[in-house]
Amino acid sequence: MSAVYVLLLLLPLVSAQTYHWGPCPNPKVQPNFKLEQYLGRWYEIEKLPASFEKGKCIEANYAVRSDGTIRVLNSGFDKDKVTAIEGTAVIQDPREPAKLGVGFSYFAPYGSYWILTTDYTSLSVVYSCTDIFRIFRFEFAWVLGRSRFMPAETLSYAKGLLIKEGIDISGMKATGQMGCKDN
């Protein structure tokens, strides 16, 4: 009975998320991931909707801090103002460096941030999933680029990879990158 109560409490959160029944899949991640090459600015091209990400001109900047953690600075433009949030990423297991944990609060555990593929210079495909008692899961996916616009064939490749890994992308939405301060 307690699982039913938890489900009812979580229902308001579901409307702005992508969720499915069952546990999270276990997609393959980038082999031989090199964090140093991944650092820097990435622009959000498309994503599965997330309540915490709204607006346009969304980008993420990654830099290594002196303590070895990774500074994550996400920013965008929403309702006529710039929004930004800073978080921390860590490589949780050195044997799988493409499986990062990311957090934006000291009070919440790290969420998964798995780099499924990247060429470091133009494309990154990222997946995150949290399952609730293996009954259902919240999923996030991002297609990121080093520039605000991505060739159609590159975007098609990224989406095909997500589909191949069993991730439903039917709800993916393009992120507006027009009218940003640098274009």
Side-chain angles (χ1 to χ4, degrees):
M1 192 63 137
S2 63
V4 172
Y5 290 123
V6 169
L7 288 173
L8 289 174
L9 289 172
L10 291 172
L11 281 177
L13 299 174
V14 169
S15 63
Q17 309 296 333
T18 301
Y19 67 97
H20 293 92
W21 294 107
C24 293
N26 191 23
K28 294 181 193 107
V29 296
Q30 173 77 27
N32 305 311
F33 177 71
K34 306 285 187 249
L35 176 64
E36 314 78 48
Q37 294 178 356
Y38 194 79
L39 299 173
R41 178 176 292 164
W42 288 94
Y43 298 98
E44 184 180 275
I45 306 300
E46 288 203 14
K47 68 176 172 230
L48 288 176
S51 62
F52 54 84
E53 266 189 346
K54 296 177 181 155
K56 65 178 192 168
C57 305
I58 297 173
E59 61 183 69
N61 285 278
Y62 304 96
V64 176
R65 294 187 179 117
S66 59
D67 67 359
T69 63
I70 303 153
R71 177 181 181 247
V72 180
L73 181 62
N74 290 346
S75 62
F77 191 72
D78 187 34
K79 297 180 183 169
D80 297 327
K81 65 180 179 179
V82 174
T83 60
I85 186 169
E86 185 173 328
T88 299
V90 295
I91 294 174
Q92 296 179 304
D93 182 348
R95 294 170 298 177
E96 293 187 290
K99 291 184 176 182
L100 301 174
V102 176
F104 291 91
S105 167
Y106 292 112
F107 305 106
Y110 288 120
S112 63
Y113 187 91
W114 292 7
I115 295 116
L116 304 188
T117 192
T118 185
D119 64 2
Y120 304 102
T121 61
S122 63
L123 170 70
S124 179
V125 179
V126 178
Y127 177 69
S128 178
C129 187
T130 301
D131 70 35
I132 309 298
F133 304 118
R134 300 185 59 81
I135 298 170
F136 69 96
R137 65 188 181 271
F138 293 104
E139 291 182 300
F140 307 97
W142 297 270
V143 176
L144 307 175
R146 289 289 193 183
S147 64
R148 291 195 185 277
F149 304 99
M150 180 176 283
E153 59 274 6
T154 306
L155 181 57
S156 179
Y157 167 78
K159 290 172 139 183
L161 175 75
L162 289 164
I163 291 167
K164 182 178 138 200
E165 291 297 334
I167 299 160
D168 179 5
I169 63 163
S170 61
M172 270 196 126
K173 306 277 186 222
T175 300
Q177 293 290 352
M178 294 295 291
C180 304
K181 64 182 175 195
D182 60 348
N183 69 357

